Amino acid sequence: MPTYTPPLRDMQFVMHELLNVVDELKMLPAHADIDADTINAVLEEGGKFCAEVIAPLNLSGDAEGCKLDKTTHEVTPPKGFKEAYKQYVEGGWPALSCDPAYGGQGLPVLVNQGMYEMMNSANQAWTMYPGLSHGAYEALHAHGTPEQKSTYLTKLTSGEWTGTMCLTEPHCGTDLGLLRTKAEPQADGTYKITGAKIFISAGEHDLAENIVHLVLARLPDAPAGSKGISLFIVPKFLVNADGTLGARNGIFCAGLEHKMGIHANSTCQMVLEGAIGTMVGEPNKGLAAMFVMMNAARLGVGNQSLGLTEVAYQNAVTYAKDRIQMRALSGPKAPDKAADPIIVHPDVRKMLLTARAYAEGGRALSTYVALQLDKALSSDDEDERKECEAEVALLTPIIKAFLTDNGWIATSHCMQVFGGHGFIHEWGMEQFVRDARINMIYEGTNTIQSLDLLGRKVLGNNGATLKKFGKKIASFVEEEGTSEAMQEFINPLADLGDKVTKLTTEIGMKAFQNPDEVGAAAVDYLRVVGHLCFAYFFARSAKIALEKQGSGDPFYTAKLHTARFYFAKLLPETASLIRTARAGLQPLMAMDEALF
Ligand SMILES: Cc1cc2nc3c(=O)[nH]c(=O)nc-3n(C[C@H](O)[C@H](O)[C@H](O)COP(=O)(O)OP(=O)(O)OC[C@H]3O[C@@H](n4cnc5c(N)ncnc54)[C@H](O)[C@@H]3O)c2cc1C
């Protein structure tokens, strides 16, 4: 069975040495009293919950899966899930970064982000039950009426109720403008909602006493397409005026999907039969309100793969030090043994270091974005709020797609380190690969993320936000440009920055001629910009590691080696990605559809 040790040292490095989060957070009125000890203590305690309570349920949960009783429509998640959730609620974990006005602890988003990384490492499928609740909380916090907030937010904050996100229908996933679920206005101001939703994560379960479904549907007179979609709260049990639970609402689980991974999370086909709901936000503007939840979920999905990358890496390292096979080509390294441990072989090291670099780079980028999110939410300076919001919007598709593509590569490499044993269930490695695969698909496929990045977030504002982020990189390059020791990091970083600028302009020009050029280049483009972000954070990490070399702490030596590996072995991928992005549309569209 896999084991998991929370990576507290690297989390602390990223927060306190790389990003100096305490100094930044103290500038925000909501976090003026925050200190490093509080952040560290919360994550240490949270790490214990993850390692001791939910990690041991990961393998068994995958084997057992969820069960649906077709007569009652009740879903039972695997053994131990309900008890673990009770402990999670009793520990106050759902409330970490929620608003104190609704019973939250008011801690920064980045603390919650760290907690979720560890939860995802320990058990992604379990984590999706509370994970979607937090997204629902955020959407209602931003767009709910005072009455909706007082009815639902306290319960979502405490974790007594969980949330879901009901968008997808059998005929529409990416293109939500096609959705058909109907909402009929009632005399009392509520709506009767009828339709079918599929693939609804945590759509039904017995972990919490009520489930708050956020449902997209159409009013009878709604315009066609995405401008005619409204958002509704549809609780599993209706809520009485005094907050107690009332009648069972007409929203049921009609079937569970049989799927490749995350077996322990209930992926439900939901039927709405005149279910009673209340509208969130304005009529026909539901997609905008839902985007609060979708953006939170996109960052959350990137975090899922970060968690899987870390746990897969840890287990692969342990195995590679223990498993003996063959001798090093340069001669025995463990002459006392019948063969050398496989960690002596260069390619095994390449697989391990790839996963390690993707975990460390992903953690730095995600924590940075979480800090920008804290500023966007809590700064008292409107300009700063807007700037941070724009940067989070720019980096969100990168977190979602780059981290999940990397997670797929990393978990697959780590499984490979185990040889044939990696393919066998008991070791847990094949589960990490299966679980990681969905992260590239849901919450908008990675292709859709790349179109969002290149089309909307970059070309959509003539590269203004990208340029602002680029300026941060350029000023670091300038600061360190004369440092001899930093040349190996600064030169390739500066070079890639220039290339991204040129590539962006080139695609922008081509897109004027034919907008499909964006679709032809977007996936490669996102990966190039993802590498630019990682290179920036690895270069900054290397600077700190070089300064602390004399401290005798092996952490800094390892950080420096990982940064060097990243620049030497992973970053060069950008050269071929830029070539394929530049190859453009023609090779893709030249072949007549009939010839496929
Ligand atoms: C396990 C699981 C859990 C899920 N959980 C939820 C949930 O909780 N709530 C919810 O509402 N949904 C959920 N989903 C649905 C998920 O978000 C969708 O499956 C996903 O967004 C893709 O939609 P689709 O399956 O309809 O694929 P389609 O939209 O049919 O896409 C098919 C392919 O076409 C590509 N494509 C589509 N449009 C374009 C374009 N313009 N340019 C280029 N390529 C394009 C896509 O990238 C994809 O490769 C879940 C799905 C799964 C499998």
Side-chain angles (χ1 to χ4, degrees):
M1 189 162 102
T3 57
Y4 174 61
T5 307
L8 298 173
R9 180 68 181 91
D10 197 52
M11 285 180 165
Q12 287 165 8
F13 170 80
V14 169
M15 289 185 183
H16 307 312
E17 295 180 71
L18 180 66
L19 302 175
N20 291 316
V21 300
V22 173
D23 291 348
E24 299 255 8
L25 290 167
K26 273 184 178 297
M27 310 288 284
L28 310 173
H31 304 302
D33 297 332
I34 197 78
D35 57 55
D37 287 348
T38 306
I39 295 176
N40 295 347
V42 170
L43 292 176
E44 195 178 322
E45 205 50 38
K48 282 186 202 155
F49 171 81
C50 297
E52 293 167 16
V53 180
I54 57 173
L57 301 174
N58 196 35
L59 201 67
S60 56
D62 179 63
E64 188 183 334
C66 297
K67 288 180 194 71
L68 167 68
D69 181 330
K70 288 217 166 171
T71 43
T72 62
H73 302 285
E74 298 293 327
V75 171
T76 312
K79 272 187 215 69
F81 270 46
K82 192 171 177 173
E83 293 72 17
Y85 187 76
K86 187 163 177 273
Q87 246 177 286
Y88 177 75
V89 170
E90 284 169 359
W93 297 110
L96 269 193
S97 63
C98 293
D99 187 346
Y102 303 101
Q105 296 179 32
L107 283 165
V109 170
L110 65 85
V111 177
N112 204 42
Q113 138 86 28
M115 178 66 184
Y116 263 86
E117 182 205 313
M118 297 187 289
M119 285 160 63
N120 285 319
S121 282
N123 195 327
Q124 174 170 325
W126 182 90
T127 301
M128 288 172 72
Y129 292 101
L132 282 132
S133 309
H134 197 74
Y137 162 90
E138 286 189 25
L140 291 180
H141 194 269
H143 292 283
T145 61
E147 197 189 337
Q148 286 169 334
K149 288 184 182 183
S150 72
T151 308
Y152 295 102
L153 286 185
T154 313
K155 297 289 190 180
L156 287 169
T157 299
S158 68
E160 285 163 89
W161 299 353
T162 62
T164 76
M165 178 174 174
C166 298
L167 284 63
T168 307
E169 298 182 5
H171 65 289
C172 80
T174 302
D175 190 353
L176 292 169
L178 300 172
L179 72 80
R180 293 180 191 143
T181 297
K182 284 227 160 323
E184 299 275 347
Q186 303 298 298
D188 63 358
T190 64
Y191 295 81
K192 275 200 168 172
I193 303 170
T194 303
K197 298 283 177 183
I198 60 164
F199 299 163
I200 305 308
S201 297
E204 180 57 53
H205 58 79
D206 63 1
L207 268 52
E209 62 183 16
N210 203 5
I211 302 176
V212 184
H213 301 282
L214 289 194
V215 179
L216 289 182
R218 255 177 214 297
L219 296 171
D221 57 351
S226 57
K227 294 204 167 87
I229 297 174
S230 304
L231 177 62
F232 301 87
I233 305 178
V234 181
K236 174 177 171 182
F237 287 100
L238 296 171
V239 185
N240 298 320
D242 64 357
T244 55
L245 293 186
R248 180 74 167 84
N249 204 356
I251 178 165
F252 301 103
C253 175
L256 284 177
E257 306 295 350
H258 302 281
K259 51 196 195 288
M260 175 177 176
I262 53 164
H263 290 159
N265 192 263
S266 54
T267 308
C268 302
Q269 297 156 12
M270 301 299 293
V271 175
L272 295 101
E273 293 168 348
I276 294 170
T278 56
M279 190 183 288
V280 182
E282 292 175 46
N284 302 327
K285 300 228 166 106
L287 214 46
M290 196 58 153
F291 253 106
V292 175
M293 184 167 189
M294 285 154 76
N295 281 329
R298 285 172 180 184
L299 294 174
V301 173
N303 205 8
Q304 290 183 320
S305 283
L306 168 58
L308 290 176
T309 301
E310 172 66 35
V311 71
Y313 167 73
Q314 289 185 13
N315 285 278
V317 168
T318 307
Y319 190 81
K321 286 182 176 173
D322 182 59
R323 174 76 171 173
I324 56 167
Q325 284 304 289
M326 306 285 287
R327 290 291 182 194
L329 292 174
S330 55
K333 297 290 178 281
D336 53 320
K337 295 188 176 146
D340 286 336
I342 59 172
I343 198 163
V344 306
H345 304 307
D347 193 57
V348 171
R349 281 170 166 257
K350 187 177 170 198
M351 292 189 280
L352 294 175
L353 281 163
T354 299
R356 182 182 178 112
Y358 282 154
E360 291 185 10
R363 185 169 300 121
L365 179 60
S366 307
T367 312
Y368 174 80
V369 171
L371 177 61
Q372 301 311 103
L373 200 50
D374 274 313
K375 292 194 222 169
L377 291 170
S378 310
S379 173
D380 51 5
D381 174 348
E382 197 186 337
D383 289 343
E384 185 182 38
R385 276 204 309 274
K386 282 199 174 134
E387 216 163 278
C388 291
E389 221 169 78
E391 197 170 289
V392 171
L394 174 80
L395 297 175
T396 296
I398 298 175
I399 296 234
K400 158 58 168 92
F402 192 53
L403 267 57
T404 61
D405 284 348
N406 292 345
W408 171 242
I409 296 166
T411 52
S412 177
H413 278 353
C414 292
M415 183 179 107
Q416 188 83 4
V417 168
F418 279 68
H421 301 278
F423 203 66
I424 306 301
H425 179 75
E426 292 91 277
W427 289 94
M429 300 307 286
E430 56 87 43
Q431 183 189 348
F432 295 141
V433 180
R434 286 187 286 105
D435 288 356
R437 190 62 185 86
I438 185 59
N439 301 343
M440 298 153 79
I441 298 174
Y442 58 21
E443 242 356 283
T445 62
N446 286 0
T447 304
I448 298 305
Q449 302 304 320
S450 70
L451 291 171
D452 180 42
L453 175 71
L454 180 56
R456 286 184 58 222
K457 310 278 170 69
V458 176
L459 300 179
N461 70 1
N462 290 321
T465 320
L466 182 66
K467 271 184 210 143
K468 274 195 186 152
F469 182 66
K471 272 193 186 153
K472 293 186 181 178
I473 299 177
S475 75
F476 178 71
V477 165
E478 197 164 317
E479 273 165 37
E480 297 303 317
T482 53
S483 156
E484 184 87 12
M486 283 296 289
Q487 293 311 297
E488 60 180 309
F489 308 111
I490 290 298
N491 292 343
L493 175 62
D495 180 52
L496 184 59
D498 289 345
K499 285 184 171 143
V500 167
T501 306
K502 283 193 194 121
L503 181 64
T504 309
T505 310
E506 189 180 318
I507 302 170
M509 301 291 281
K510 281 194 199 170
F512 270 127
Q513 307 295 321
N514 184 349
D516 269 339
E517 291 284 357
V518 172
V523 169
D524 296 329
Y525 181 86
L526 183 143
R527 207 162 165 78
V528 172
V529 182
H531 274 300
L532 180 66
C533 297
F534 272 28
Y536 172 52
F537 288 113
F538 268 120
R540 283 178 55 179
S541 301
K543 173 179 160 12
I544 300 164
L546 282 166
E547 284 164 3
K548 301 264 176 84
Q549 272 294 68
S551 70
D553 184 345
F555 176 86
Y556 298 108
T557 313
K559 184 62 85 181
L560 200 53
H561 283 306
T562 309
R564 286 189 171 130
F565 166 82
Y566 174 77
F567 275 89
K569 294 283 190 185
L570 298 180
L571 191 71
E573 180 195 9
T574 50
S576 78
L577 289 166
I578 290 171
R579 280 190 73 172
T580 51
R582 295 185 69 196
L585 187 63
Q586 207 273 343
L588 303 173
M589 303 314 258
M591 191 157 89
D592 194 284
E593 213 176 293
L595 296 175
F596 275 88

